[in-house]
């Protein structure tokens, strides 16, 4: 059977801590191992012909975690960005990000910018990392930018429709996710892509992110293929 490959897959990579704790290891080991899953899943998505992959790496709310865990995560993103640059280039991946990056440590911002610039001309899969991202803040930021343009006289309030509003989001060219995957059996959105997920198919895996591999992704794609997307209309 020929599978319909979702054009945009978004993933809430969850369960790093639980995976580590179940093996009597520190949560940090779970995050480290999670980076291996990012590599495997990114490569597989590129191979399958997925057009866009969006990964939730750090939420606006994750600052509430212990300082040591947050610092470790920041250093891990820095290391990931340096180490995986070759992999990104070899797979012709164009790397972008969403989120309020301006408050991230300088060493993370620097590596993000380098990876974005280096891969800007790549023509393969678009890989978007959500880091210091929150859906509510994204919508609020968009509203502020539109309001500023109204104030400046560039737009009238009545110009606003869904299509125009979407242009003020962090990555206006991003299509809405077709499939949202969340790992570690958690059935919530946790402030991810609130605008863009309106009609995405949601699939939850019991597998914790550090163990999530190609075969699990395939299960998600198979489940997606069983869904009937209606967008509010009737089944055709
Ligand atoms: C996801 O794993 C990684 C981040 C949120 C950065 P968690 O760290 O949330 O793992 P659990 O949910 O505690 O198991
Ligand atoms: C969502 O996971 C954020 C990321 C995966 C980066 P969390 O583990 O932070 O979400 P909650 O707190 O369980 O909702
Ligand atoms: Mg979690």
């Amino acid at each position: 059977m020929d599978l319909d490959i979702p054009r945009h897959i978004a993933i809430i990579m969850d369960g790093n801590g639980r995976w580590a704790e179940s093996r009597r290891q520190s949560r940090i080991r779970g995050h480290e191992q999670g980076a291996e899953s990012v590599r495997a899943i990114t490569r597989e998505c590129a191979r399958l012909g997925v057009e866009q992959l969006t990964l939730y790496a750090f939420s606006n709310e994750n600052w509430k975690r212990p300082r040591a865990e947050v610092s470790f995560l920041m250093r891990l993103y820095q290391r990931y960005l340096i180490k995986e640059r070759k992999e990104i280039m070899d797979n012709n991946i164009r790397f972008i990000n969403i989120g309020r990056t301006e408050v991230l440590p300088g060493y993370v911002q620097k590596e993000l910018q380098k990876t974005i610039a280096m891969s800007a001309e790549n023509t393969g899969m678009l890989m978007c990392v959500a880091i210091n991202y929150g859906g509510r803040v994204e919508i609020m930021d968009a509203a502020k930018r539109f309001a500023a343009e109204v104030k400046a006289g560039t737009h009238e309030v009545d110009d606003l429709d869904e299509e125009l509003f979407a242009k003020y989001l962090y990555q206006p060219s991003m299509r809405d996710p077709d499939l949202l995957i969340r790992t570690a059996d958690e059935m919530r959105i946790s402030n991810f892509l609130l605008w863009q997920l309106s009609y995405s198919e949601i699939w939850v895996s019991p597998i914790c992110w550090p163990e999530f591999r190609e075969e699990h992704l395939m299960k998600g794609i198979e489940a997606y293929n069983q869904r009937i997307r209606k967008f509010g209309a009737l089944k055709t």
Side-chain angles (χ1 to χ4, degrees):
M1 185 185 71
D2 261 356
L3 281 177
D4 176 14
I5 302 296
R7 291 175 64 184
H8 182 181
I9 299 180
I11 307 183
I12 303 176
M13 309 182 286
D14 201 10
N16 292 357
R18 273 164 282 173
W19 176 83
E21 280 156 10
S22 74
R23 301 158 62 100
R24 295 167 189 264
Q25 293 176 342
S26 77
R27 296 178 51 83
I28 277 170
R29 265 298 296 143
H31 297 314
E32 235 165 28
Q33 194 58 32
E36 301 295 319
S37 307
V38 170
R39 181 185 308 123
I41 297 305
T42 303
R43 193 183 287 173
E44 181 67 357
C45 283
R47 193 187 70 80
L48 288 169
V50 171
E51 291 171 30
Q52 296 180 30
L53 174 67
T54 301
L55 300 174
Y56 203 6
F58 195 87
S59 74
N60 289 162
E61 290 73 29
N62 286 147
W63 297 106
K64 296 177 193 162
R65 295 189 179 200
R67 241 196 17 226
E69 182 167 342
V70 171
S71 311
F72 179 84
L73 283 168
M74 293 300 152
R75 288 292 174 190
L76 182 66
Y77 303 140
Q78 177 195 30
R79 254 194 294 152
Y80 169 86
L81 287 162
I82 296 171
K83 205 169 137 212
E84 298 304 312
R85 222 167 259 145
K86 184 175 182 308
E87 172 83 13
I88 287 170
M89 297 308 288
D90 288 350
N91 284 285
N92 192 22
I93 290 168
R94 186 154 68 86
F95 183 94
I96 57 170
N97 75 274
I98 49 174
R100 281 193 172 170
T101 48
E102 64 278 11
V103 297
L104 294 173
Y107 56 82
V108 177
Q109 290 189 44
K110 181 178 141 215
E111 302 307 334
L112 270 172
Q113 288 316 320
K114 252 175 120 169
T115 307
I116 293 167
M118 185 180 281
S119 68
E121 305 294 318
N122 286 350
T123 54
M125 186 176 78
L126 187 67
M127 173 186 192
C128 177
V129 174
I131 175 164
N132 195 22
Y133 175 86
R136 286 190 172 183
V137 169
E138 176 176 33
I139 292 169
M140 218 173 61
D141 281 347
K144 281 189 192 166
R145 287 178 50 215
F146 178 71
E149 292 196 2
V150 170
K151 204 171 162 197
T154 328
H155 273 301
E156 302 279 335
V157 169
D158 284 339
D159 291 346
L160 196 61
D161 57 16
E162 289 184 22
E163 201 189 353
L164 181 62
F165 191 77
K167 293 201 165 78
Y168 293 89
L169 298 173
Y170 293 139
Q171 289 290 347
S173 61
M174 185 163 118
R175 59 178 277 123
D176 290 345
D178 299 291
L179 173 63
L180 171 72
I181 296 176
R182 183 161 185 157
T183 58
D185 238 354
E186 218 66 82
M187 313 265 175
R188 56 176 170 263
I189 302 287
S190 301
N191 205 11
F192 194 37
L193 303 175
L194 295 183
W195 176 277
Q196 299 89 335
L197 290 174
S198 299
Y199 270 101
S200 307
E201 295 299 329
I202 300 176
W203 180 75
V204 172
S205 166
I207 307 291
C208 286
W209 179 250
E211 278 183 329
F212 194 84
R213 286 293 177 276
E214 293 84 341
E215 65 268 29
H216 308 116
L217 174 72
M218 201 39 79
K219 274 197 183 160
I221 294 176
E222 281 164 7
Y224 172 80
N225 274 258
Q226 302 301 314
R227 306 285 176 87
I228 298 159
R229 304 190 75 186
K230 296 188 291 187
F231 300 96
L234 297 183
K235 186 179 151 191
T236 47

